[in-house]
Amino acid sequence: MEYLPEELATYIEQGTIDDWLGVISSGKEARVHLAAKGDGLLAVKVFKERNDRSFKNRADYHMAMMPLHTRAARAMANRSGYGKALEDGLWCQREAETLGILAAAGADVPRVVAHGCRSIVMEYFGTAESGASRLSDLRQWLPDARGCFAAVLRNLGLFLECGIVHGDLSPYNILYHDGRPVIIDFPQAVLIAASSAAEALFERDVCVICEYFRRQGVASDAGRVAHQLWSRHALRRTLRERTTEGTGEGP
Ligand SMILES: Nc1ncnc2c1ncn2[C@@H]1O[C@H](COP(=O)(O)OP(=O)(O)O)[C@@H](O)[C@H]1O
Ligand SMILES: [Mg+2]
């Protein structure tokens, strides 16, 4: 009999889930569980406790997210016990918030059902037998690689509209479910308004995706794709700012 993780036990007590069915994936940063709720299934991502996790963009993340919370930022920089606990919760909260914003904007990301300071209960993609394949797992050619590429780019455009860059996009973080891509794994997403590295991270994300689809037979010029999406986003933002200035609305 496997040991029931504490977070899952709490979600069962609260009625968020009915039952724990097992582990879908156990990675370096988090373990993802399968849970039953009513007639359906949910995924529960539980972050690892220690922050020996190897997130990239860590320094940039702190600068982008923590300008006002100086005590918290200092504690995290010092790696104090308090800082570590805060940081553990921060990654998780950041992912939950980001998923919420992007789902509301119509992006193809899992819907968040609930979250705690170290775990997220979210929409599950897959069957009772196995989780949806990641693009990186697919051995065969994608049936509609061109359509899938277009869907991923549509999502990247939506992310930009929300002022967000994924920052760790790759075929490992895209599920393929019912013929469409679902983008996951957002703890290191950055806010464009708060991160000087956002554009470079975006270009990297686009490059990785273009390279994957090139191998799937869909050629593209990654630099051009990134530039077009980014400048469209910049233009929309400028127009929006002008409109709010004109009406006297906005912050
Ligand atoms: N909502 C979900 N539905 C189905 N499988 C998921 C879901 N979220 C994550 N997974 C599975 O768990 C794995 C790890 O999740 P991810 O969020 O990428 O965390 P990490 O890469 O940090 O371990 C994914 O590669 C995927 O196989
Ligand atoms: Mg991942």
CSV table of all heavy atoms in Angstrom, one decimal, residues 24-33 42-45 47 55 95 110 122-126 131-134 137 168 172-175 182 184-188, ligand 1:
chain,number,residue,atom,x,y,z
A,24,ILE,N,1.3,10.4,-11.6
A,24,ILE,CA,1.4,10.4,-13.0
A,24,ILE,C,2.8,10.7,-13.4
A,24,ILE,O,3.3,10.1,-14.4
A,24,ILE,CB,0.6,11.7,-13.6
A,24,ILE,CG1,-0.9,11.6,-13.2
A,24,ILE,CG2,0.7,11.8,-15.1
A,24,ILE,CD1,-1.7,12.9,-13.5
A,25,SER,N,3.5,11.5,-12.7
A,25,SER,CA,4.9,11.9,-13.0
A,25,SER,C,5.6,12.4,-11.8
A,25,SER,O,5.1,13.1,-11.0
A,25,SER,CB,4.8,13.0,-14.1
A,25,SER,OG,6.0,13.8,-14.0
A,26,SER,N,6.9,12.0,-11.7
A,26,SER,CA,7.7,12.4,-10.6
A,26,SER,C,8.9,13.1,-11.2
A,26,SER,O,9.8,12.4,-11.6
A,26,SER,CB,8.0,11.3,-9.7
A,26,SER,OG,8.6,11.7,-8.5
A,27,GLY,N,9.0,14.4,-11.1
A,27,GLY,CA,10.1,15.1,-11.7
A,27,GLY,C,11.0,15.7,-10.7
A,27,GLY,O,10.9,15.4,-9.5
A,28,LYS,N,11.9,16.5,-11.2
A,28,LYS,CA,12.9,17.2,-10.3
A,28,LYS,C,12.2,18.2,-9.3
A,28,LYS,O,12.5,18.3,-8.2
A,28,LYS,CB,14.0,17.9,-11.1
A,28,LYS,CG,15.3,17.1,-11.1
A,28,LYS,CD,16.4,18.0,-11.6
A,28,LYS,CE,16.1,18.5,-13.0
A,28,LYS,NZ,17.1,19.2,-13.7
A,29,GLU,N,11.3,18.9,-9.9
A,29,GLU,CA,10.7,20.0,-9.1
A,29,GLU,C,9.3,19.7,-8.5
A,29,GLU,O,8.9,20.3,-7.5
A,29,GLU,CB,10.5,21.2,-10.0
A,29,GLU,CG,11.7,22.0,-10.3
A,29,GLU,CD,12.4,21.7,-11.6
A,29,GLU,OE1,11.6,21.2,-12.5
A,29,GLU,OE2,13.6,21.8,-11.7
A,30,ALA,N,8.6,18.7,-9.1
A,30,ALA,CA,7.3,18.4,-8.6
A,30,ALA,C,6.9,17.0,-8.9
A,30,ALA,O,7.5,16.4,-9.7
A,30,ALA,CB,6.3,19.4,-9.2
A,31,ARG,N,5.8,16.6,-8.1
A,31,ARG,CA,5.3,15.3,-8.4
A,31,ARG,C,3.8,15.5,-8.8
A,31,ARG,O,3.1,16.3,-8.2
A,31,ARG,CB,5.3,14.4,-7.2
A,31,ARG,CG,4.9,13.0,-7.4
A,31,ARG,CD,5.3,12.1,-6.2
A,31,ARG,NE,6.7,11.9,-6.2
A,31,ARG,CZ,7.4,11.5,-5.1
A,31,ARG,NH1,6.8,11.2,-4.0
A,31,ARG,NH2,8.7,11.3,-5.2
A,32,VAL,N,3.4,14.9,-9.9
A,32,VAL,CA,2.0,15.1,-10.3
A,32,VAL,C,1.2,13.8,-10.1
A,32,VAL,O,1.6,12.7,-10.5
A,32,VAL,CB,1.9,15.5,-11.8
A,32,VAL,CG1,0.5,15.8,-12.3
A,32,VAL,CG2,2.8,16.8,-12.0
A,33,HIS,N,0.0,14.0,-9.4
A,33,HIS,CA,-0.8,12.9,-9.0
A,33,HIS,C,-2.1,12.9,-9.8
A,33,HIS,O,-2.6,13.9,-10.2
A,33,HIS,CB,-1.2,13.0,-7.5
A,33,HIS,CG,0.0,13.0,-6.6
A,33,HIS,ND1,0.6,11.9,-6.0
A,33,HIS,CD2,0.8,14.1,-6.2
A,33,HIS,CE1,1.6,12.3,-5.2
A,33,HIS,NE2,1.8,13.6,-5.4
A,42,LEU,N,-8.8,14.5,-11.9
A,42,LEU,CA,-8.1,15.7,-11.7
A,42,LEU,C,-6.6,15.4,-11.6
A,42,LEU,O,-6.2,14.3,-11.1
A,42,LEU,CB,-8.6,16.5,-10.5
A,42,LEU,CG,-10.0,17.1,-10.6
A,42,LEU,CD1,-10.4,17.6,-9.2
A,42,LEU,CD2,-10.1,18.2,-11.6
A,43,ALA,N,-5.8,16.4,-11.9
A,43,ALA,CA,-4.3,16.3,-11.7
A,43,ALA,C,-4.0,17.1,-10.5
A,43,ALA,O,-4.5,18.2,-10.3
A,43,ALA,CB,-3.5,16.7,-12.9
A,44,VAL,N,-3.1,16.6,-9.6
A,44,VAL,CA,-2.7,17.4,-8.5
A,44,VAL,C,-1.1,17.5,-8.5
A,44,VAL,O,-0.4,16.5,-8.4
A,44,VAL,CB,-3.1,16.8,-7.1
A,44,VAL,CG1,-2.7,17.7,-5.9
A,44,VAL,CG2,-4.6,16.5,-7.1
A,45,LYS,N,-0.7,18.7,-8.7
A,45,LYS,CA,0.8,18.9,-8.8
A,45,LYS,C,1.3,19.3,-7.4
A,45,LYS,O,0.8,20.4,-6.9
A,45,LYS,CB,1.1,20.0,-9.8
A,45,LYS,CG,2.6,20.3,-10.0
A,45,LYS,CD,2.8,21.2,-11.2
A,45,LYS,CE,4.3,21.5,-11.4
A,45,LYS,NZ,4.6,22.3,-12.6
A,47,PHE,N,4.6,20.4,-5.3
A,47,PHE,CA,6.0,20.9,-5.4
A,47,PHE,C,6.8,20.2,-4.4
A,47,PHE,O,6.4,20.0,-3.3
A,47,PHE,CB,6.1,22.4,-5.3
A,47,PHE,CG,5.6,23.1,-6.5
A,47,PHE,CD1,4.2,23.2,-6.8
A,47,PHE,CD2,6.5,23.7,-7.4
A,47,PHE,CE1,3.7,23.8,-7.9
A,47,PHE,CE2,6.0,24.3,-8.5
A,47,PHE,CZ,4.6,24.4,-8.8
A,55,PHE,N,15.2,25.6,-10.9
A,55,PHE,CA,14.5,26.6,-11.8
A,55,PHE,C,15.6,27.5,-12.4
A,55,PHE,O,16.4,28.0,-11.8
A,55,PHE,CB,13.5,27.4,-11.1
A,55,PHE,CG,12.3,26.6,-10.7
A,55,PHE,CD1,11.9,26.6,-9.4
A,55,PHE,CD2,11.6,26.0,-11.7
A,55,PHE,CE1,10.7,25.9,-9.0
A,55,PHE,CE2,10.4,25.3,-11.3
A,55,PHE,CZ,10.0,25.2,-10.0
A,95,GLU,N,2.5,29.8,-10.3
A,95,GLU,CA,2.0,28.9,-11.3
A,95,GLU,C,0.5,28.9,-11.3
A,95,GLU,O,-0.2,29.0,-12.4
A,95,GLU,CB,2.5,27.5,-11.2
A,95,GLU,CG,1.8,26.5,-12.2
A,95,GLU,CD,2.6,25.3,-12.6
A,95,GLU,OE1,3.3,24.7,-11.7
A,95,GLU,OE2,2.6,24.9,-13.7
A,110,PRO,N,-4.3,24.0,-18.4
A,110,PRO,CA,-5.3,23.4,-17.4
A,110,PRO,C,-6.0,24.4,-16.6
A,110,PRO,O,-5.4,25.4,-16.2
A,110,PRO,CB,-4.3,22.5,-16.6
A,110,PRO,CG,-3.0,22.4,-17.3
A,110,PRO,CD,-2.9,23.6,-18.2
A,122,MET,N,-5.8,20.7,-10.6
A,122,MET,CA,-6.1,21.2,-11.9
A,122,MET,C,-6.8,20.2,-12.8
A,122,MET,O,-6.8,19.0,-12.5
A,122,MET,CB,-4.9,21.8,-12.5
A,122,MET,CG,-3.8,20.8,-12.8
A,122,MET,SD,-2.4,21.5,-13.7
A,122,MET,CE,-1.1,21.2,-12.5
A,123,GLU,N,-7.3,20.7,-13.9
A,123,GLU,CA,-7.9,19.9,-14.9
A,123,GLU,C,-6.8,18.8,-15.4
A,123,GLU,O,-5.7,19.2,-15.5
A,123,GLU,CB,-8.2,20.8,-16.1
A,123,GLU,CG,-9.0,20.2,-17.2
A,123,GLU,CD,-9.3,21.3,-18.3
A,123,GLU,OE1,-8.9,22.5,-18.1
A,123,GLU,OE2,-9.9,20.9,-19.3
A,124,TYR,N,-7.3,17.6,-15.6
A,124,TYR,CA,-6.4,16.5,-16.0
A,124,TYR,C,-6.6,16.2,-17.5
A,124,TYR,O,-7.8,16.2,-17.9
A,124,TYR,CB,-6.7,15.3,-15.2
A,124,TYR,CG,-6.1,14.0,-15.7
A,124,TYR,CD1,-4.8,13.8,-15.6
A,124,TYR,CD2,-6.9,13.0,-16.3
A,124,TYR,CE1,-4.2,12.6,-16.0
A,124,TYR,CE2,-6.4,11.8,-16.8
A,124,TYR,CZ,-5.0,11.6,-16.6
A,124,TYR,OH,-4.5,10.5,-17.1
A,125,PHE,N,-5.6,16.0,-18.2
A,125,PHE,CA,-5.6,15.6,-19.6
A,125,PHE,C,-5.1,14.2,-19.7
A,125,PHE,O,-3.9,14.0,-19.4
A,125,PHE,CB,-4.8,16.6,-20.4
A,125,PHE,CG,-5.4,18.0,-20.4
A,125,PHE,CD1,-5.0,18.9,-19.5
A,125,PHE,CD2,-6.4,18.4,-21.2
A,125,PHE,CE1,-5.5,20.2,-19.4
A,125,PHE,CE2,-7.0,19.7,-21.1
A,125,PHE,CZ,-6.5,20.6,-20.2
A,126,GLY,N,-5.9,13.3,-20.2
A,126,GLY,CA,-5.5,12.0,-20.4
A,126,GLY,C,-6.7,11.0,-20.2
A,126,GLY,O,-7.8,11.5,-20.1
A,131,GLY,N,-1.7,9.5,-18.6
A,131,GLY,CA,-1.8,10.9,-18.9
A,131,GLY,C,-1.5,11.2,-20.3
A,131,GLY,O,-1.0,10.3,-21.0
A,132,ALA,N,-2.0,12.3,-20.8
A,132,ALA,CA,-1.8,12.7,-22.2
A,132,ALA,C,-0.3,12.7,-22.5
A,132,ALA,O,0.5,13.0,-21.7
A,132,ALA,CB,-2.4,14.0,-22.5
A,133,SER,N,0.1,12.3,-23.8
A,133,SER,CA,1.5,12.3,-24.1
A,133,SER,C,1.9,13.7,-24.2
A,133,SER,O,1.2,14.6,-24.6
A,133,SER,CB,1.7,11.7,-25.5
A,133,SER,OG,1.2,10.4,-25.5
A,134,ARG,N,3.2,13.9,-23.9
A,134,ARG,CA,3.8,15.2,-24.2
A,134,ARG,C,4.3,15.2,-25.6
A,134,ARG,O,4.5,14.1,-26.2
A,134,ARG,CB,5.0,15.5,-23.3
A,134,ARG,CG,4.6,15.3,-21.8
A,134,ARG,CD,5.8,15.4,-20.9
A,134,ARG,NE,6.8,14.3,-21.2
A,134,ARG,CZ,7.9,14.0,-20.5
A,134,ARG,NH1,8.2,14.8,-19.6
A,134,ARG,NH2,8.7,13.0,-20.8
A,137,ASP,N,7.1,13.0,-26.2
A,137,ASP,CA,7.0,11.6,-26.1
A,137,ASP,C,6.5,11.0,-27.4
A,137,ASP,O,6.6,9.7,-27.6
A,137,ASP,CB,5.9,11.2,-25.1
A,137,ASP,CG,6.3,11.6,-23.7
A,137,ASP,OD1,7.4,11.6,-23.4
A,137,ASP,OD2,5.3,12.0,-22.9
A,168,ASP,N,9.9,28.6,-20.1
A,168,ASP,CA,10.5,27.2,-20.1
A,168,ASP,C,9.8,26.4,-21.1
A,168,ASP,O,9.5,25.2,-20.8
A,168,ASP,CB,10.5,26.6,-18.7
A,168,ASP,CG,11.3,25.3,-18.6
A,168,ASP,OD1,12.2,25.1,-19.4
A,168,ASP,OD2,10.9,24.5,-17.7
A,172,TYR,N,8.5,19.2,-23.9
A,172,TYR,CA,8.3,18.5,-22.6
A,172,TYR,C,7.2,19.1,-21.8
A,172,TYR,O,6.6,18.5,-20.9
A,172,TYR,CB,9.6,18.5,-21.7
A,172,TYR,CG,10.7,17.7,-22.3
A,172,TYR,CD1,11.6,18.2,-23.2
A,172,TYR,CD2,10.7,16.3,-22.0
A,172,TYR,CE1,12.6,17.4,-23.7
A,172,TYR,CE2,11.7,15.5,-22.5
A,172,TYR,CZ,12.7,16.1,-23.4
A,172,TYR,OH,13.7,15.3,-23.9
A,173,ASN,N,6.9,20.4,-22.1
A,173,ASN,CA,5.8,21.1,-21.4
A,173,ASN,C,4.6,21.4,-22.2
A,173,ASN,O,3.8,22.3,-22.0
A,173,ASN,CB,6.4,22.4,-20.8
A,173,ASN,CG,7.3,22.1,-19.6
A,173,ASN,OD1,7.1,21.1,-18.9
A,173,ASN,ND2,8.3,22.9,-19.4
A,174,ILE,N,4.4,20.6,-23.3
A,174,ILE,CA,3.2,20.7,-24.1
A,174,ILE,C,2.6,19.3,-24.2
A,174,ILE,O,3.2,18.3,-24.7
A,174,ILE,CB,3.5,21.2,-25.5
A,174,ILE,CG1,4.2,22.6,-25.4
A,174,ILE,CG2,2.2,21.4,-26.3
A,174,ILE,CD1,4.5,23.3,-26.7
A,175,LEU,N,1.3,19.1,-23.7
A,175,LEU,CA,0.6,17.9,-23.8
A,175,LEU,C,-0.1,17.9,-25.1
A,175,LEU,O,-0.5,18.9,-25.6
A,175,LEU,CB,-0.4,17.7,-22.6
A,175,LEU,CG,0.2,17.8,-21.2
A,175,LEU,CD1,-0.9,17.7,-20.2
A,175,LEU,CD2,1.3,16.7,-21.0
A,182,VAL,N,-1.8,21.4,-25.2
A,182,VAL,CA,-2.2,22.0,-23.9
A,182,VAL,C,-0.8,22.3,-23.3
A,182,VAL,O,0.0,21.5,-23.1
A,182,VAL,CB,-3.0,21.0,-23.0
A,182,VAL,CG1,-3.2,21.7,-21.7
A,182,VAL,CG2,-4.3,20.6,-23.7
A,184,ILE,N,1.6,23.4,-20.3
A,184,ILE,CA,1.7,23.3,-18.8
A,184,ILE,C,3.0,23.8,-18.3
A,184,ILE,O,3.9,24.3,-19.0
A,184,ILE,CB,1.6,21.8,-18.4
A,184,ILE,CG1,2.7,20.9,-19.1
A,184,ILE,CG2,0.2,21.2,-18.8
A,184,ILE,CD1,2.9,19.5,-18.5
A,185,ASP,N,3.1,23.8,-16.9
A,185,ASP,CA,4.4,24.0,-16.2
A,185,ASP,C,4.8,25.5,-16.3
A,185,ASP,O,5.8,25.8,-17.0
A,185,ASP,CB,5.5,23.1,-16.8
A,185,ASP,CG,6.6,22.8,-15.8
A,185,ASP,OD1,6.5,23.3,-14.7
A,185,ASP,OD2,7.5,22.1,-16.2
A,186,PHE,N,4.2,26.3,-15.4
A,186,PHE,CA,4.4,27.7,-15.5
A,186,PHE,C,5.1,28.4,-14.3
A,186,PHE,O,5.1,29.6,-14.1
A,186,PHE,CB,3.1,28.5,-15.7
A,186,PHE,CG,2.5,28.4,-17.0
A,186,PHE,CD1,1.7,27.2,-17.4
A,186,PHE,CD2,2.7,29.3,-18.0
A,186,PHE,CE1,1.2,27.1,-18.7
A,186,PHE,CE2,2.1,29.2,-19.3
A,186,PHE,CZ,1.4,28.1,-19.6
A,187,PRO,N,5.7,27.6,-13.4
A,187,PRO,CA,6.3,28.3,-12.2
A,187,PRO,C,7.3,29.4,-12.5
A,187,PRO,O,7.5,30.3,-11.8
A,187,PRO,CB,6.9,27.2,-11.3
A,187,PRO,CG,7.0,26.0,-12.2
A,187,PRO,CD,6.0,26.2,-13.3
A,188,GLN,N,8.0,29.2,-13.7
A,188,GLN,CA,9.0,30.2,-13.9
A,188,GLN,C,8.6,31.3,-15.0
A,188,GLN,O,9.4,32.0,-15.5
A,188,GLN,CB,10.3,29.6,-14.4
A,188,GLN,CG,10.2,28.2,-14.9
A,188,GLN,CD,11.5,27.5,-15.0
A,188,GLN,OE1,12.6,28.1,-14.8
A,188,GLN,NE2,11.5,26.3,-15.3
B,1,LIG,N1,-2.9,18.7,-16.0
B,1,LIG,C1,-2.2,17.6,-16.4
B,1,LIG,N2,-2.8,16.6,-17.0
B,1,LIG,C2,-2.1,15.5,-17.3
B,1,LIG,N3,-0.8,15.3,-17.1
B,1,LIG,C3,-0.1,16.3,-16.5
B,1,LIG,C4,-0.8,17.5,-16.1
B,1,LIG,N4,0.1,18.4,-15.5
B,1,LIG,C5,1.3,17.7,-15.5
B,1,LIG,N5,1.2,16.5,-16.1
B,1,LIG,C6,2.3,15.5,-16.3
B,1,LIG,O1,3.2,15.7,-15.3
B,1,LIG,C7,4.5,16.0,-15.8
B,1,LIG,C8,5.2,17.0,-14.9
B,1,LIG,O2,4.4,18.2,-14.9
B,1,LIG,P1,5.1,19.6,-15.0
B,1,LIG,O3,4.1,20.7,-14.7
B,1,LIG,O4,5.8,19.7,-16.4
B,1,LIG,O5,6.2,19.7,-13.8
B,1,LIG,P2,7.8,19.4,-13.8
B,1,LIG,O6,8.3,19.4,-15.3
B,1,LIG,O7,8.3,20.6,-13.1
B,1,LIG,O8,8.0,18.1,-13.1
B,1,LIG,C9,4.2,16.5,-17.2
B,1,LIG,O9,5.3,16.2,-18.1
B,1,LIG,C10,3.0,15.7,-17.6
B,1,LIG,O10,3.4,14.4,-18.1
